[in-house]
């Protein structure tokens, strides 16, 4: 299996590249080697490459900046995936394109399934939804994988920011009325090959369960204590989504992704987010290692 990974310097792409080295014939392509806003560069870079699967983990991921950089967000998140989908179709290869829980408006209070109507409430969400549609329209072999609240060792995310703050400050808080599921890049890397051959269309991949940002941060601090990471703050106070005034873009309050389809396809339940976070903190922060 020859695999090319785009976005190989990002949080998810770097993890996929590392996990697949030695298991597959894998090549990583980072932003410096390929700028997805340049269609001619995409053609030039990918034309000579031979691959069975192209994984696109590259994206314009800054949710707030997307509001003022709409054209760039659409170029990276919609126009580029369309071209990637066409190149893959012409090479008889499969495109696995990553997308997001932010394609939903967050008004539901049950986990979102793949058949639920997308209704993005931000430019980022709109651009990612446009990319999904363009990829799926190009070939019925291609796969769009939505993930949520991604964390891992290759680039800091919410959990790392909360741990850093807890190391420096005594009183910290996190939003208690926004829910989704933290998803470990290692677990995505482990789950994805199970559906390389079997699945096309839309698929949700996440760890199991759901939590608020406050619960997520509290669990992270509890794990830090267990693994003897010195902290100043031990508890995470609750704040409200409505109190957050410095966000430019709207975020869905509830964006839990149902993994029932993945479970039906593979017979495997993704591990609970609490275990995944504990594993990450032990590997990345523990002094007991
Ligand atoms: N992070 C999350 O919580 C989250 C949640 C849901 C879905 N997702 C989705 O998961 C996927 C992976 O996200 P991630 O967390 O790994 O994000 P990330 O760490 O921001 O990685 C995105 C990668 O894309 C690259 N990139 C940005 N603009 C580019 C361009 N014009 N040309 C080429 N490469 C470009 C970035 O390079 P530079 O850093 O050099 O710009 C970076 O390496 C994305 O599809 C994202 O929408 C992420």
């Amino acid at each position: 299996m020859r695999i090319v990974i785009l976005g190989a310097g990002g949080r998810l792409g770097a993890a996929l590249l590392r996990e697949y080295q030695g298991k597959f014939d894998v090549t990583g392509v980072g932003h410096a080697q390929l700028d997805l806003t340049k269609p001619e560069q995409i053609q030039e870079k990918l034309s000579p490459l031979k691959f069975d699967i192209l994984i696109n983990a590259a994206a314009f991921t800054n949710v707030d900046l997307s509001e003022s950089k709409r054209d760039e967000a659409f170029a990276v998140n919609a126009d580029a995936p369309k071209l990637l989908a066409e190149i893959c179709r012409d090479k008889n290869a499969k495109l696995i394109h990553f997308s997001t829980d932010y394609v939903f408006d967050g008004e539901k209070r049950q986990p979102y399934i793949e058949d639920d109507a997308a209704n993005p409430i931000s430019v980022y969400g709109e651009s990612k939804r446009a990319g999904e549609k363009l990829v799926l329209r190009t070939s019925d072999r291609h796969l769009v994988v939505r993930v949520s609240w991604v964390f891992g060792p290759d680039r800091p995310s919410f959990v790392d920011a909360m741990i850093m703050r807890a190391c420096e400050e005594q009183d910290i808080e996190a939003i208690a009325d926004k829910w989704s599921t933290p998803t470990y890049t290692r677990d995505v890397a482990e789950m994805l090959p199970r559906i390389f051959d079997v699945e096309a269309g839309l698929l949700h991949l996440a760890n199991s369960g759901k939590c608020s940002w406050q619960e997520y941060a509290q669990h992270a601090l509890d794990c830090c204590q267990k693994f003897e990471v010195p902290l100043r703050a031990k508890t995470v106070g609750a704040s409200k989504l409505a109190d957050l005034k410095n966000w430019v873009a709207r975020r869905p309050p509830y964006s839990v992704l149902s993994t029932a389809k993945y479970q039906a396809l593979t017979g495997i339940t993704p591990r609970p987010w609490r275990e995944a976070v504990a594993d990450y903190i032990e590997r990345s922060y523990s002094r007991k290692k």
Side-chain angles (χ1 to χ4, degrees):
M1 183 84 79
R2 293 161 302 180
I3 301 175
V4 171
I5 298 173
L6 305 184
R11 187 179 298 119
L12 181 58
L16 296 178
L17 182 61
R18 186 177 49 254
E19 297 296 324
Y20 295 165
Q21 271 158 355
K23 295 187 187 126
F24 303 105
D25 174 355
V26 63
T27 306
V29 179
H31 194 168
Q33 294 142 300
L34 172 60
D35 182 351
L36 289 175
T37 62
K38 304 211 161 72
E40 59 300 339
Q41 245 190 50
I42 300 177
Q43 291 278 12
E44 214 174 281
K45 185 81 195 172
L46 294 182
S47 291
L49 296 181
K50 290 199 166 79
F51 51 83
D52 305 297
I53 294 179
L54 179 68
I55 298 178
N56 181 30
F60 191 96
T61 53
N62 189 319
V63 178
D64 285 329
L65 199 59
S66 296
E67 298 292 313
S68 55
K69 298 208 172 229
R70 187 183 176 91
D71 289 352
E72 200 179 329
F74 269 81
V76 181
N77 294 342
D79 303 342
K82 174 176 186 278
L83 182 53
L84 297 176
E86 289 166 355
I87 292 170
C88 287
R89 180 197 57 203
D90 297 346
K91 281 178 173 282
N92 206 19
K94 181 185 185 105
L95 174 63
I96 298 180
H97 172 67
F98 277 95
S99 190
T100 172
D101 51 330
Y102 277 25
V103 298
F104 295 114
D105 59 21
E107 294 306 317
K108 211 180 162 188
R109 287 296 176 271
Q110 291 294 319
Y112 281 97
I113 61 169
E114 288 80 354
D115 288 341
D116 279 324
N119 183 29
I121 55 172
S122 65
V123 171
Y124 169 71
E126 277 177 47
S127 68
K128 293 293 290 184
R129 178 62 186 146
E132 292 184 345
K133 287 204 258 186
L134 291 164
V135 166
L136 295 176
R137 202 178 287 160
T138 304
S139 165
D140 56 14
R141 274 190 72 195
H142 295 342
L143 174 66
V144 170
V145 178
R146 291 183 184 137
V147 289
S148 62
W149 289 8
V150 178
F151 68 93
D154 299 282
R155 196 171 273 201
S157 63
F158 170 80
V159 67
D160 307 286
M162 292 309 291
I163 293 170
M164 203 199 296
R165 281 187 53 202
C167 290
E168 292 166 357
E169 298 165 36
Q170 210 132 27
D171 297 310
I172 64 168
E173 34 181 55
I175 295 169
D177 57 353
K178 182 180 178 349
W179 301 269
S180 192
T181 310
T183 301
Y184 193 7
T185 53
R186 268 178 80 94
D187 291 6
V188 175
E190 200 255 322
M191 288 190 268
L192 197 60
R194 295 184 206 281
I195 38 111
F196 273 171
D197 292 327
V198 288
E199 193 46 17
L202 265 172
L203 189 72
H204 292 174
L205 276 191
N207 283 111
S208 294
K210 79 159 197 352
C211 61
S212 68
W213 270 353
Q214 184 203 16
E215 290 170 295
Y216 181 13
Q218 185 61 61
H219 179 59
L221 300 200
D222 294 345
C223 293
C224 284
Q225 298 221 75
K226 184 172 162 207
F227 297 120
E228 295 174 10
V229 182
L231 300 175
R232 292 192 70 196
K234 307 276 186 321
T235 55
V236 182
S239 61
K240 286 193 177 138
L241 195 52
D243 296 338
L244 227 98
K245 303 289 181 216
N246 57 349
W247 274 346
V248 180
R250 288 175 66 209
R251 267 88 167 159
Y254 180 99
S255 59
V256 178
L257 298 175
S258 164
T259 54
K261 183 174 173 185
Y262 171 80
Q263 291 176 55
L265 283 166
T266 62
I268 291 166
T269 305
R271 72 173 158 166
W273 69 268
R274 285 179 184 275
E275 278 177 34
V277 169
D279 184 6
Y280 170 60
I281 289 173
E282 184 172 15
R283 285 171 192 271
S284 298
Y285 289 92
S286 177
R287 294 204 162 181
K288 286 186 175 174
K289 274 188 296 187

